[in-house]
Amino acid sequence: GSGKTKALTHRYGFIVNALGIEPSNMLCVTFTNKAAHEMRRRFKQLIGGEQDTGFITTYHGFCVRVLREDIHRLFYPKNFVILDVEDQKTILREIFEDLGLKMNDKTFKRLLDKIGILKGNTHYVQQMIQRGEMPAEEAGDDLDGRIIQMYLKTQKRVFGLDFGDLINFTFVLFSQYPKVLEKWQDRLFYIQVDEFQDSNAKQFELVRMLAEKHGNLFVVGDPDQTIYEWRGADPKYIVDFEEYFPSAETIFLNRNYRSSPEILSAGNSLIKHNYFRVDKEMVTDNAGGLKVIHYHGKDEQEEAAWVVDK
């Protein structure tokens, strides 16, 4: 509630309206489709007209834009298929039928988790982009490993990329074809990232590569609000931002416009115990509100019943 996203949207509007930069030369990244949609709505109010706001997007959305234009260099068609989780399950179901095996939701989860771990790095991409039959490696010789190999082969056969592939293929494309990276660097004069505390290593590296040429990188975020560490987010990228970008300027937004002083006081007193953070104390001019109550339910049912009762 300190105006981070508002600062980002108004900066975008200023760059377009006052500096005359085209929206098609600005990348603005956020983490969910819902947030990107809301940001596009806000920007259209600020800049008006029917300008291309396609680069106000998620990391996955941006990677799709890149790959639709340049994936042919990796011997994939530009109209490759994007696989969602249901598509992944369909492929696994067909593999299990071929092998005469039964599967349930636990099997799905286990295999999707293992596929996610395999796709934690980009090594497997080399298997998928080389011509001819795909050699068996990476996933191991056990049954799960064989199934994952069959999954990758099916993906390759249908030219399908799942969400994990989108950023990995973009990395490989930029690494193997510096001219492609340079083209995208030249195109994107300004880069902005919302909720930067939720960036993982790959997302951070992608932003750093793209911003290398012009150096116009602007991020907003709060390391105290990191909630995605379970899926790889690392608050060090915002806490240590000035180590990665020594010429960066940091502006603290310490005034909260959303909460009562009582809520801020409780939040400040708890959050100061976090060992890895940027030290800051939030303040507000808002009128006093109700006293903060702490209740610890034994489980979610008890907690929900207490909330409903209140």
Side-chain angles (χ1 to χ4, degrees):
S2 61
K4 295 185 297 295
T5 302
K6 185 166 186 175
L8 182 139
T9 52
H10 279 257
R11 181 179 185 267
Y12 184 103
F14 176 81
I15 290 170
V16 173
N17 291 334
L19 303 187
I21 301 293
E22 290 291 326
S24 55
N25 294 123
M26 293 179 67
L27 173 63
C28 193
V29 180
T30 189
F31 278 81
T32 65
N33 287 321
K34 184 180 177 184
H37 179 75
E38 171 61 18
M39 210 172 275
R40 278 196 290 271
R41 188 187 66 75
R42 287 204 212 182
F43 286 145
K44 288 201 167 161
Q45 288 176 343
L46 287 170
I47 63 179
E50 290 300 312
Q51 301 192 68
D52 176 16
T53 52
F55 285 129
I56 301 165
T57 184
T58 60
Y59 282 105
H60 287 118
F62 172 70
C63 290
V64 170
R65 285 282 293 255
V66 170
L67 295 172
R68 290 280 184 226
E69 212 167 293
D70 292 304
I71 198 172
H72 62 280
R73 294 173 185 272
L74 301 179
F75 310 111
Y76 267 63
K78 292 182 181 181
N79 64 342
F80 63 88
V81 179
I82 298 172
L83 306 170
D84 62 19
V85 174
E86 285 308 310
D87 296 324
Q88 290 181 284
K89 287 181 178 179
T90 299
I91 292 174
L92 288 173
R93 215 175 273 117
E94 288 170 359
I95 291 168
F96 267 65
E97 281 176 15
D98 288 347
L99 295 174
L101 300 170
K102 287 184 180 173
M103 71 186 310
N104 55 31
D105 286 343
K106 281 186 181 174
T107 320
F108 275 136
K109 185 175 184 321
R110 187 184 77 243
L111 286 165
L112 289 175
D113 285 347
K114 285 193 172 185
I115 290 166
I117 290 166
L118 173 70
K119 294 183 177 185
N121 60 51
T122 59
H123 301 328
Y124 75 96
V125 177
Q126 295 304 328
Q127 284 181 270
M128 294 183 70
I129 63 177
Q130 63 188 356
R131 288 164 152 177
E133 183 64 17
M134 207 170 76
E137 53 180 73
E138 292 284 351
D141 297 324
D142 61 344
L143 181 59
D144 279 4
R146 277 179 56 213
I147 291 166
I148 291 169
Q149 279 300 312
M150 292 171 77
Y151 172 87
L152 294 178
K153 285 179 180 176
T154 305
Q155 267 198 281
K156 183 176 178 179
R157 191 175 70 248
V158 300
F159 296 118
L161 300 188
D162 62 33
F163 291 138
D165 298 318
L166 295 171
I167 199 161
N168 287 333
F169 270 63
T170 304
F171 259 115
V172 170
L173 183 64
F174 284 166
S175 303
Q176 295 188 3
Y177 295 92
K179 288 283 183 201
V180 174
L181 172 59
E182 193 177 353
K183 178 184 82 173
W184 286 95
Q185 287 173 333
D186 285 340
R187 188 178 296 181
L188 301 171
F189 304 155
Y190 289 89
I191 296 172
Q192 300 194 149
V193 186
D194 196 19
E195 304 287 8
F196 192 69
Q197 76 278 354
D198 289 328
S199 301
N200 63 32
K202 278 186 198 164
Q203 292 162 342
F204 173 76
E205 196 53 43
L206 187 65
V207 165
R208 185 153 75 163
M209 287 165 86
L210 291 166
E212 206 166 20
K213 189 154 195 174
H214 297 296
N216 293 326
L217 176 61
F218 175 86
V219 308
V220 296
D222 180 355
D224 291 336
Q225 292 185 46
T226 302
I227 59 169
Y228 287 123
E229 288 177 86
W230 56 274
R231 68 178 192 201
D234 194 334
K236 76 178 181 186
Y237 297 119
I238 192 164
V239 173
D240 298 333
F241 193 81
E242 288 170 332
E243 289 182 24
Y244 298 105
F245 304 98
S247 61
E249 180 185 358
T250 300
I251 298 163
F252 285 92
L253 303 177
N254 281 350
R255 188 161 303 282
N256 181 290
Y257 299 94
R258 184 182 296 155
S259 303
S260 67
E262 288 81 0
I263 287 176
L264 273 194
S265 174
N268 283 331
S269 64
L270 282 171
I271 211 83
K272 71 182 181 189
H273 296 291
N274 280 10
Y275 67 94
F276 188 66
R277 65 188 294 260
V278 177
D279 194 33
K280 65 185 189 305
E281 189 86 359
M282 300 300 292
V283 297
T284 187
D285 295 331
N286 290 346
L290 296 171
K291 196 172 155 190
V292 173
I293 299 167
H294 169 248
Y295 170 79
H296 190 168
K298 289 203 294 284
D299 54 36
E300 61 266 40
Q301 277 80 20
E302 193 174 295
E303 184 182 89
W306 184 85
V307 171
V308 170
D309 187 53
K310 279 289 162 191

